[in-house]
Amino acid sequence: MTYLLPTYKRLNLSVARAKGCVIQDTRGKSYLDFGSGIGVCNLGHRHSDVQQAIEKQLNEYWHVSNLYEQPIQEEVAQLLVESSSGDRVFFCNSGAEANEAAIKLARKATGKKKIVTFQQSFHGRTFATMAATGQTKIQEGFGPMLDGFEYVPYNDMSAVEKALDSQTAAVMLEVIQGEGGVHPGEVNFLQGVAQLCNEQNVLLIVDEIQTGIGRTGKVFAYAHYSIEPDIITIAKGLGNGMPVGAIIAKSPLEEHFGPGSHGSTFGGNPLAMAAAKTVMQTVIQPTFLQEVNEKATYLMEQLTEKVGTNRLIASFKGKGMMIGIHCKSDVTGIIPKLLENGLIVLSAGPNVIRLLPPLTVTKDEIDQAVTILADVLSDDV
């Protein structure tokens, strides 16, 4: 019996508590969480500094209104601007809301309607972000989509060149496609798109909702490619479990998002801001990111050595702590088996096992996870 709409195909796990990289169910069984709430708890569950910041804010105020100044919003916005190519920030509550805002801003700022996105992309489930998503399975059953979007193959520069025209407001992309199968962008492709956008006065929107906040070993994944987006969208890891989203935009765009143009009742909620401030202060530390990269290298080495020889495995793709294990057959039945053996992972399409462990994961936890993966995959051959 459930009073919930069946919008999720839930696995056999009833959560009681969580800490760090470990989730415990209502029966007392423990699991290594290599999904991080779909790339949300980048600092692990109930990170002590984040929890302390939220508790402190609880004793000050929970909500007022965005009609008033809230210094903590300015503090988080400054951290985001100083860590990115952007200049101004708008806060909302989720990745879909961030992408919705980015789409609105791009259209309003350019006076144009068309936005080029990519096949197998994922940008959210509101009507605009669903329309921006290049996967028909996300759109099916909801009637006509918002028009103005054109989908082209990812990593295909010639397709982008053909798609851009005088009515193109923006190109919107993920530097590593997440939900679509963990497909990294090629350096020449991403740099080429950025250059083309600059030459044709087209805005570049980079969706960093899954790749941002240290997930790939840099604060933002686009930094690996030496490009500068006009608009960056973020969410997930920014609040480490507190609902928060944001766009970071370059300063010439601010005049198009003046008073009354856009808003969010709960955007920039002080509890979410307290979490986000602590997350950013942690992630921007060079020593923290150095450790993330070292552990990511170790994880890939262990996967290659202990899992890569399995005949089910086609390849490993990704960057940092965002890894797709591309398999030669459907992995739908493997995910529950891993769960039964104490390892939480995600899928990314029918043939991809997706790993998004907390950035704070230890090498011992990596060893345990890889051992479980190797054992279950061997049994499944």
Side-chain angles (χ1 to χ4, degrees):
M1 174 72 179
T2 178
Y3 295 97
L4 300 170
L5 284 168
T7 51
Y8 302 99
K9 187 176 182 181
R10 299 182 193 273
L11 294 167
N12 186 27
L13 171 59
S14 179
V15 178
R17 56 188 57 84
K19 179 67 176 175
C21 191
V22 177
I23 287 178
Q24 190 174 84
D25 70 14
T26 51
R27 297 169 296 176
K29 181 177 177 179
S30 294
Y31 305 79
L32 284 171
D33 184 6
F34 268 51
S36 299
I38 315 184
V40 168
C41 296
N42 283 10
L43 301 186
H45 297 280
R46 290 178 51 224
H47 186 277
S48 58
D49 291 346
V50 177
Q51 182 167 334
Q52 184 177 356
I54 295 168
E55 290 172 351
K56 180 177 182 293
Q57 186 62 48
L58 275 168
N59 289 316
E60 295 173 358
Y61 67 100
W62 302 359
H63 174 83
V64 284
S65 165
N66 283 315
L67 296 175
Y68 315 119
E69 293 182 6
Q70 298 183 58
I72 194 167
Q73 290 184 353
E74 288 287 350
E75 292 167 6
V76 179
Q78 181 177 352
L79 287 166
L80 291 171
V81 165
E82 291 176 348
S83 302
S84 72
S85 62
D87 304 295
R88 300 290 185 270
V89 176
F90 170 82
F91 289 114
C92 51
N93 306 286
S94 69
E97 287 186 28
N99 281 336
E100 187 90 15
I103 291 165
K104 286 180 67 174
L105 178 56
R107 283 187 166 190
K108 193 167 189 288
T110 63
K112 300 174 182 179
K113 178 179 180 181
K114 180 176 173 181
I115 295 179
V116 175
T117 68
F118 294 87
Q119 295 170 9
Q120 299 307 307
S121 61
F122 182 81
H123 297 294
R125 294 182 183 272
T126 64
F127 257 94
T129 58
M130 185 167 56
T133 294
Q135 299 186 58
T136 55
K137 68 178 183 181
I138 303 297
Q139 304 169 347
E140 289 173 351
F142 294 103
M145 289 292 105
L146 180 70
D147 63 359
F149 294 92
E150 181 174 346
Y151 319 110
V152 299
Y154 196 56
N155 280 325
D156 187 335
M157 191 64 206
S158 63
V160 179
E161 291 170 345
K162 291 176 183 176
L164 264 60
D165 58 29
S166 61
Q167 288 305 305
T168 304
V171 173
M172 185 175 192
L173 58 80
E174 305 153 273
V175 293
I176 303 173
Q177 292 186 328
E179 300 291 330
V182 191
H183 297 293
E186 297 170 359
V187 175
N188 290 341
F189 169 73
L190 293 170
Q191 292 180 346
V193 170
Q195 182 178 346
L196 185 64
C197 287
N198 186 57
E199 291 171 352
Q200 298 199 19
N201 199 29
V202 170
L203 297 175
L204 177 59
I205 303 170
V206 173
D207 178 339
E208 289 267 8
I209 288 158
Q210 191 165 144
T211 56
I213 321 300
R215 173 57 54 188
T216 67
K218 289 185 179 291
V219 179
F220 297 110
Y222 75 80
H224 290 285
Y225 302 93
S226 300
I227 62 175
E228 289 195 1
D230 298 290
I231 304 172
I232 305 156
T233 62
I234 53 176
K236 287 189 179 291
L238 180 59
N240 207 62
M242 294 296 288
V244 61
I247 65 170
I248 313 170
K250 288 192 172 179
S251 55
L253 298 173
E254 71 174 314
E255 64 180 282
H256 304 286
F257 252 20
S261 60
H262 193 55
S264 170
T265 298
F266 296 107
N269 173 272
L271 299 178
M273 292 293 95
K277 179 180 175 181
T278 304
V279 167
M280 285 300 298
Q281 288 174 331
T282 302
V283 169
I284 62 176
Q285 298 302 317
T287 53
F288 179 85
L289 290 174
Q290 182 181 343
E291 289 177 6
V292 171
N293 283 299
E294 288 172 356
K295 288 184 289 189
T297 299
Y298 181 76
L299 173 56
M300 186 61 80
E301 289 172 349
Q302 294 303 302
L303 286 170
T304 302
E305 178 186 341
K306 297 176 181 177
V307 179
T309 55
N310 189 294
R311 69 185 188 186
L312 290 175
I313 306 302
S315 63
F316 300 105
K317 294 183 181 180
K319 192 178 288 291
M321 290 291 189
M322 182 177 182
I323 296 174
I325 303 174
H326 289 248
C327 299
K328 297 174 183 176
S329 58
D330 195 297
V331 301
T332 305
I334 295 174
I335 307 297
K337 291 180 182 178
L338 289 167
L339 184 64
E340 290 171 13
N341 283 270
L343 179 62
I344 297 170
V345 300
L346 304 163
S347 61
N351 295 348
V352 180
I353 299 169
R354 182 173 29 153
L355 305 182
L356 299 170
L359 308 183
T360 52
V361 66
T362 67
K363 286 187 176 180
D364 284 345
E365 289 166 336
I366 289 172
D367 290 340
Q368 294 172 43
V370 172
T371 297
I372 294 170
L373 267 166
D375 290 345
V376 170
L377 290 172
S378 294
D379 290 343
D380 209 67
V381 172

